[in-house]
Amino acid sequence: MKKIVISLGGSILIPSLSDHTIREYVPELKKIAKKHRLFVVVGGGGEARRYIKLARQLGIDEGTSDEIGILITRLNATLLIAALGEDAYPKVAESHAEAKKFGESGKIVVMGGITPGQTTDAVAAVLAERVGAAVFINVTSVDGIYTEDPKKNPHAARFDRLAPKELLEIVGQTALGAGSNNVLDIVAARVVERSGIPLVVLDGREPKNLSGAILKGKYRGTVVSDMKKNPLPL
Ligand code: UTP
């Protein structure tokens, strides 16, 4: 069994309480976990952004706003664990060490954020290093990495493949405030570069893409790696 770390963006899993894909992702994750050891890092989604917006309106500093964001990611992680039932380890991991320990159970490990100044993508990138993952998958709301944000510039070009150094150049141009919404944060990009673990950025708007990518190698997205070999299927 290979280890897989998935950063499941809140914008995909739970954009709002009335509009979520938890029902669709539960069978996907269970299916993948039959073949591989899964670690899922859940983002904050729309609720985190709404709380952070309110915090800013109240004049609350960025670090505290981040802490509020982290609480929401853990709330989302709790919801996913409950929805996964027996297949998930029953507690949200609050550190990488805890996630590693919980992984020994063989169950799906779920966590959210851990520390201010980053996003759950960075949490997942470090977790991939710590558990020795075969691949790090970032499930997001675009179909890969573009030269610029494709939602802002419709002429932005998509990459099928990128070297970790090129990824760093692209994400280095964007700012990191609480609730910021980039394809990957700079901390995550640096960790991807140093770990050498291949990163696959996948379009998660269609939940079935996840098992299609991992089990069959069928996907549209961007591979970030210096290796020539395709990281998927596993
Ligand atoms: P994310 O930005 O990771 O959630 O965390 P998201 O909604 O999933 O983002 P997408 O969908 O991948 O774009 C929400 C917020 O929580 C705080 C940050 O403010 C972040 O923007 N956070 C999260 C931290 O401060 N530290 C963490 O380790 C994780």
Side-chain angles (χ1 to χ4, degrees):
M1 274 191 159
K2 291 198 171 137
K3 290 176 188 149
I4 306 174
V5 172
I6 300 175
S7 178
L8 191 49
S11 55
I12 286 296
L13 189 68
I14 185 159
S16 74
L17 296 179
S18 55
D19 173 25
H20 64 82
T21 55
I22 298 176
R23 262 193 209 97
E24 290 77 25
Y25 269 105
V26 162
E28 279 296 291
L29 296 171
K30 287 186 175 195
K31 188 163 145 189
I32 299 161
K34 287 200 167 70
K35 299 234 162 94
H36 302 290
R37 297 269 297 276
L38 263 191
F39 296 81
V40 184
V41 184
V42 175
E47 299 310 329
R49 296 221 162 73
R50 283 184 274 281
Y51 268 89
I52 288 167
K53 187 172 166 208
L54 174 57
R56 286 215 183 98
Q57 285 164 356
L58 294 170
I60 292 169
D61 65 275
E62 288 295 296
T64 307
S65 302
D66 278 341
E67 294 284 7
I68 293 167
I70 292 169
L71 287 173
I72 305 294
T73 64
R74 288 181 175 167
L75 197 57
N76 291 343
T78 306
L79 197 60
L80 181 61
I81 287 174
L84 284 165
E86 284 295 298
D87 291 21
Y89 190 84
K91 189 179 172 297
V92 175
E94 295 190 359
S95 68
H96 291 114
E98 230 178 37
K100 214 174 152 171
K101 185 94 196 106
F102 295 173
E104 289 168 10
S105 67
K107 304 234 176 197
I108 303 171
V109 176
V110 185
M111 70 187 295
I114 50 172
T115 184
Q118 59 174 32
T119 73
T120 45
D121 291 338
V123 175
V126 175
L127 186 60
E129 275 189 322
R130 294 284 294 264
V131 301
V135 64
F136 165 30
I137 297 179
N138 186 27
V139 178
T140 186
S141 57
V142 282
D143 58 358
I145 298 173
Y146 284 74
T147 44
E148 286 173 71
D149 185 344
K151 288 174 183 154
K152 291 183 189 144
N153 181 358
H155 302 296
R158 198 181 68 87
F159 296 102
D160 278 334
R161 249 185 191 273
L162 266 180
K165 273 210 162 42
E166 294 171 313
L167 171 70
L168 262 177
E169 276 166 31
I170 292 169
V171 302
Q173 294 156 6
T174 43
L176 179 77
S180 73
N181 207 351
N182 306 321
V183 66
L184 201 81
D185 82 35
I186 183 87
V187 184
R190 282 213 187 97
V191 177
V192 165
E193 193 204 14
R194 76 175 186 190
S195 73
I197 295 171
L199 161 70
V200 180
V201 177
L202 272 189
D203 188 350
R205 286 172 292 189
E206 177 46 69
K208 286 203 169 9
N209 284 350
L210 190 60
S211 63
I214 294 172
L215 305 176
K216 297 183 187 141
K218 273 204 238 156
Y219 61 95
R220 182 174 161 83
T222 302
V223 172
V224 181
S225 175
D226 280 327
M227 288 181 246
K228 290 269 179 301
K229 193 176 158 279
N230 279 336
L232 297 177
L234 274 188

